[in-house]
Amino acid sequence: AQKVTQAQTEISVVEKEDVTLDCVYETRDTTYYLFWYKQPPSGELVFLIRRNSFDEQNEISGRYSWNFQKSTSSFNFTITASQVVDSAVYFCALSETNTGGFKTIFGAGTRLFVKA
Amino acid sequence: SQTIHQWPATLVQPVGSPLSLECTVEGTSNPNLYWYRQAAGRGLQLLFYSVGIGQISSEVPQNLSASRPQDRQFILSSKKLLLSDSGFYLCAWSVTGTGYNEQFFGPGTRLTVL
C-alpha cells in the first residue's frame, strides 16, 4: 500500500533562513509520481512540482529545490532564503501506476511559519 | 487559461440536512475531476474521481455521493449530513488521460455541520 509521511508537523524559521521539508514515501510500484503542493492561508492548493520515479535529477526553480532519492524513498523540498510569503502548509503526494494514477495519496502536510 | 470554480465558499448546515456542492472547470475539455476532503489540520482525503460524464469512482464509503452531469461539472451531494462531514472540500481537475498529471485545485468550500 502506498503511504506518504511528512514527519515535520510545523516548522518555524526567521526570514532569509533556508528550510528543508522532508517527505518519505512507500510504494510497491516501480513506476510512480511524486508531487509537492503549497496551501497558503486562503486554502487553495497550488501545484509546485511533479517528478516521476525514473527521473532522479534534482530540480531547482528560483528559491525552491527538490532532492529526490529513490534509495531512501525521499523527496525533500528546500526553500532557500525563505520569505514571509512562503508561510503555508506544504503537502507531498504520491500517485501509483496500478490505479492509473488517479488515487493520489497526500501526506499530512508540514506547516511552515516564516517570521519577519 | 483554465479556471476552476467552487461554490459556495462557506456553508453551515444542521445535522441531517442535504448537501450539494458544485464545481465547474473552464478552459479545458474532458478533464479528470476529483473531490477531496480536508479535516482541520489534516491532509487531503480523496473522496471521488471521474474520468468522464457519468463515470464516478468512489474511494471512501460514506454518506456522500458525486455526480458528473456535464463534462466540466462535478457535484458532491449528501442526503443527510453527519457531524463528521464537517471539513474543507476541495475540487480539482487534471488533464484527460491518466491521473499522473498534476492536479489543479479550486478555492474550496468550508462546510460546518452543527
Side-chain angles (χ1 to χ4, degrees), chain A residues 111, chain B residues 37-43 86-88 110:
Chain A
R111 184 177 296 275
Chain B
R37 177 169 59 200
Q38 184 179 23
R42 304 285 295 276
S86 292
F88 190 49
R110 200 163 299 279

Side-chain angles (χ1 to χ4, degrees), chain A residues 35-51:
Chain A
F35 305 83
W36 275 97
Y37 290 87
K38 174 182 179 180
Q39 186 177 39
S42 62
E44 181 176 337
L45 268 77
V46 177
F47 164 75
L48 296 178
I49 189 172
R50 178 184 70 161
R51 176 67 64 198

Side-chain angles (χ1 to χ4, degrees), chain A:
Chain A
Q2 54 180 335
K3 185 179 178 182
V4 177
T5 301
Q6 294 180 256
Q8 305 151 308
T9 306
E10 290 186 0
I11 300 176
S12 184
V13 299
V14 177
E15 207 169 20
K16 297 184 183 177
E17 283 185 14
D18 298 347
V19 58
T20 295
L21 310 181
D22 298 332
C23 174
V24 174
Y25 61 91
E26 293 177 28
T27 178
R28 294 179 181 175
D29 254 8
T30 55
T31 303
Y32 50 89
Y33 289 75
L34 296 163
F35 305 83
W36 275 97
Y37 290 87
K38 174 182 179 180
Q39 186 177 39
S42 62
E44 181 176 337
L45 268 77
V46 177
F47 164 75
L48 296 178
I49 189 172
R50 178 184 70 161
R51 176 67 64 198
N52 73 53
S53 53
F54 295 112
D55 183 2
E56 290 193 66
Q57 278 193 335
N58 291 331
E59 181 155 340
I60 298 174
S61 176
R63 296 184 297 107
Y64 294 171
S65 62
W66 291 270
N67 184 317
F68 175 31
Q69 292 198 341
K70 219 169 173 179
S71 59
T72 57
S73 297
S74 65
F75 187 40
N76 296 337
F77 173 30
T78 297
I79 302 175
T80 303
S82 60
Q83 300 176 0
V84 173
V85 293
D86 295 327
S87 297
V89 181
Y90 291 86
F91 291 97
C92 181
L94 164 71
S95 286
E96 289 178 330
T97 58
N98 62 0
T99 61
F102 299 108
K103 193 172 178 179
T104 300
I105 299 298
F106 285 78
T110 296
R111 184 177 296 275
L112 174 64
F113 294 98
V114 181
K115 305 174 193 174

Side-chain angles (χ1 to χ4, degrees), chain A residues 1-4 26-27 29 32-33 35 93-106, chain B residues 32-36 44-51 57-61 94 97-101 103:
Chain A
Q2 54 180 335
K3 185 179 178 182
V4 177
E26 293 177 28
T27 178
D29 254 8
Y32 50 89
Y33 289 75
F35 305 83
L94 164 71
S95 286
E96 289 178 330
T97 58
N98 62 0
T99 61
F102 299 108
K103 193 172 178 179
T104 300
I105 299 298
F106 285 78
Chain B
N32 298 325
L33 296 173
Y34 309 82
W35 277 112
Y36 289 90
L44 276 72
Q45 178 187 38
L46 178 64
L47 302 175
F48 303 94
Y49 68 87
S50 171
V51 300
S57 295
S58 174
E59 290 300 311
V60 182
S94 65
T98 70
Y100 309 141
N101 294 302
Q103 295 176 24

